[in-house]
Amino acid sequence: MSAFDPREKVWTKFPPEGSKHTPPHQTSEFKWKDYCPLVFRTLRKLFKVDPADYMLSICGDDALRELSSPGKSGSFFYLTNDDKYMIKTIKKAEVKVLLRMLPAYYNHVRSFENTLVTRFFGLHCVKLTGSAQKKVRFVIMGNLFCTAYTIHRRFDLKGSSLGRMTDKPESEIDPTTTLKDLDLNYIFRLQKSWFQEFCRQVDRDCELLEQERIMDYSLLVGVHFGDGSFGNQMTEARISGVRTPTGIGTPRNGVATPLLSREDADQLVDPASRTPLEVRLGISMPARVERTERKYDQGSEPQLVGEATGEFRDVILFFGIIDILQDYDISKKLEHVYKSMQYDPTSISAVEPKHYAKRFRDFIFKVFGEDEENV
């Protein structure tokens, strides 16, 4: 049997009194299922996850923190106490999607270390024994915002406009609010080499998702606003033992990965210890944002991307492609037909994967651009 076979799973029984392989606990007996354990173990190794630290984060004495009540998807989200990992409850259909796309996903993340797609570390199911017989399926993912930087603004971007605005009044918007496409009033400006790599990687990732018939994904963007001086902000950053890269990275698949210029690298250190910070595509990226303004004409649709104003601010960016387990199934096809009868079909999120990928890329390449001042 292949390691990728959906039937490749391991059940472990957890009795309350404990066993030779499991600790005692205060809940009723349950069974724990690992899906494709060898594949996920290899993925964790690829993502440079220390096995002992991983187990301590997931299974340690510290309780998980619930992030929010279930939204439209019905999923619950939890964070480990060290903020490194996010646990999301998922439906059986999503389990099937992940298992189906696992071989392609594995090959993709192995080929492109700068991939922006969600990092999956494990897929599990807990089954309560006895009369309840309830099953809870969940996936363990990397937390994109595991950083000591304060995330001042977060955006969930799809490239569609219908319903893509927060329903909160401006006075209630805070750093925990997830804003959407029509709330975005910035263009994100990246250094030239980073922007080129960003465009290449978004293209690669969208090709994977289109090939796997995935749609309804988003680019999640977290923004930390600086005060105009990187040096004063660096004391907030989580310090890493990884050397700050300069010049051009090691070629992978024949393509060299652009890294920070020496000038940027010199800024990205803790001013007290001079310890370098880790920077990679989508993580702790120094950039600038340019403020935009939308023009509203009475009776017409709002602009998806506003007009650039020439006002800039220094920022640190975090971003990645999330929600990649929704395939274009019968429910999404029906949603597309139903909403197309009421609204402009180009404005709705539920569209077939090829169209979705093109629209997503077109939008993302409008709200991200090259910083011509920092080439």
Side-chain angles (χ1 to χ4, degrees):
M1 188 185 296
S2 164
F4 291 98
D5 193 304
R7 293 170 295 174
E8 181 67 16
K9 48 189 172 251
V10 176
W11 279 103
T12 306
K13 187 181 288 188
F14 282 74
E17 66 275 12
S19 70
K20 185 178 178 181
H21 302 290
T22 64
H25 57 89
Q26 296 180 348
T27 59
S28 58
E29 181 174 297
F30 65 90
K31 288 182 177 179
W32 173 286
K33 182 197 289 188
D34 286 315
Y35 292 91
C36 300
L38 181 60
V39 176
F40 283 104
R41 192 185 315 149
T42 308
L43 282 172
R44 291 193 293 272
K45 191 174 179 181
L46 266 177
F47 294 138
K48 299 179 176 60
V49 173
D50 180 87
D53 286 348
Y54 178 74
M55 290 304 294
L56 196 60
S57 295
I58 304 297
C59 306
D61 294 333
D62 294 319
L64 300 174
R65 304 200 311 275
E66 186 175 343
L67 279 186
S68 61
S69 57
K72 287 190 296 183
S73 68
S75 295
F76 288 87
F77 292 86
Y78 302 89
L79 266 181
T80 56
N81 196 56
D82 57 9
D83 283 349
K84 288 182 179 178
Y85 307 106
M86 184 175 290
I87 297 170
K88 177 186 179 183
T89 62
I90 58 176
K91 299 173 184 174
K92 187 176 182 178
E94 292 173 296
V95 172
K96 288 182 176 179
V97 170
L98 179 51
L99 291 175
R100 186 199 74 210
M101 69 182 288
L102 195 55
Y105 173 85
Y106 174 84
N107 288 330
H108 186 79
V109 300
R110 190 176 63 174
S111 299
F112 306 112
E113 65 179 350
N114 275 341
T115 182
L116 297 173
V117 296
T118 302
R119 294 186 167 201
F120 292 122
F121 299 128
L123 179 62
H124 309 281
C125 175
V126 170
K127 180 181 179 182
L128 300 177
T129 57
S131 57
Q133 292 283 306
K134 184 180 179 183
K135 285 185 178 180
V136 179
R137 301 169 182 88
F138 58 95
V139 65
I140 300 174
M141 310 174 288
N143 174 21
L144 190 60
F145 297 153
C146 178
T147 174
Y149 284 114
T150 301
I151 302 297
H152 296 116
R153 282 289 180 267
R154 58 191 72 202
F155 296 93
D156 180 283
L157 306 174
K158 292 177 184 280
S160 56
S161 58
L162 182 64
R164 300 298 296 162
M165 182 182 287
T166 183
D167 52 7
K168 281 188 175 183
E170 194 164 341
S171 59
E172 293 180 19
I173 292 174
D174 61 29
T176 66
T177 304
T178 300
L179 302 170
K180 301 177 184 178
D181 303 63
L182 292 177
D183 301 308
L184 181 64
N185 56 345
Y186 300 110
I187 293 173
F188 303 106
R189 301 289 185 188
L190 304 180
Q191 181 198 354
K192 181 178 180 179
S193 56
W194 277 120
F195 179 63
Q196 290 172 343
E197 174 60 14
F198 171 76
C199 293
R200 282 193 293 264
Q201 195 56 56
V202 168
D203 280 338
R204 293 169 186 143
D205 291 343
C206 285
E207 283 171 16
L208 167 74
L209 298 173
E210 182 184 332
Q211 168 195 314
E212 295 300 314
R213 303 287 295 163
I214 302 296
M215 41 77 69
D216 223 13
Y217 45 88
S218 310
L219 187 75
L220 181 64
V221 183
V223 185
H224 169 84
F225 290 106
D227 63 354
S229 168
F230 276 132
N232 293 338
Q233 294 297 323
M234 285 305 102
T235 53
E236 297 184 26
R238 185 183 300 276
I239 303 303
S240 160
V242 180
R243 290 182 60 81
T244 304
T246 58
I248 298 296
T250 305
R252 193 170 184 124
N253 287 351
V255 179
T257 303
L259 301 174
L260 288 179
S261 68
R262 183 168 297 278
E263 290 76 18
D264 284 335
D266 287 343
Q267 290 175 318
L268 282 172
V269 293
D270 177 69
S273 66
R274 303 300 296 169
T275 307
L277 294 171
E278 180 183 12
V279 178
R280 61 178 172 84
L281 189 66
I283 299 295
S284 303
M285 292 197 67
R288 295 199 301 167
V289 291
E290 182 176 6
R291 195 172 68 82
T292 61
E293 288 183 353
R294 284 185 179 81
K295 293 178 180 176
Y296 290 94
D297 295 324
Q298 198 167 11
S300 65
E301 289 287 319
Q303 282 181 298
L304 197 53
V305 182
E307 305 288 336
T309 63
E311 296 176 32
F312 292 85
R313 291 183 70 180
D314 289 327
V315 295
I316 302 291
L317 294 182
F318 299 80
F319 50 81
I321 297 175
I322 63 166
D323 295 338
I324 64 170
L325 297 181
Q326 178 60 61
D327 63 352
Y328 195 50
D329 58 13
I330 187 65
S331 66
K332 287 295 177 181
K333 291 175 182 176
L334 290 173
E335 181 184 341
H336 174 76
V337 172
Y338 176 71
K339 288 187 175 178
S340 293
M341 292 189 291
Q342 303 176 71
Y343 308 102
D344 177 0
T346 63
S347 72
I348 62 179
S349 180
V351 295
E352 63 87 24
K354 187 172 185 177
H355 180 190
Y356 193 96
K358 182 181 185 308
R359 184 179 65 186
F360 177 82
R361 279 194 298 241
D362 288 347
F363 175 69
I364 294 303
F365 294 155
K366 287 177 183 173
V367 298
F368 277 77
E370 181 184 325
D371 188 347
E372 296 177 357
E373 294 295 314
N374 292 311
V375 293

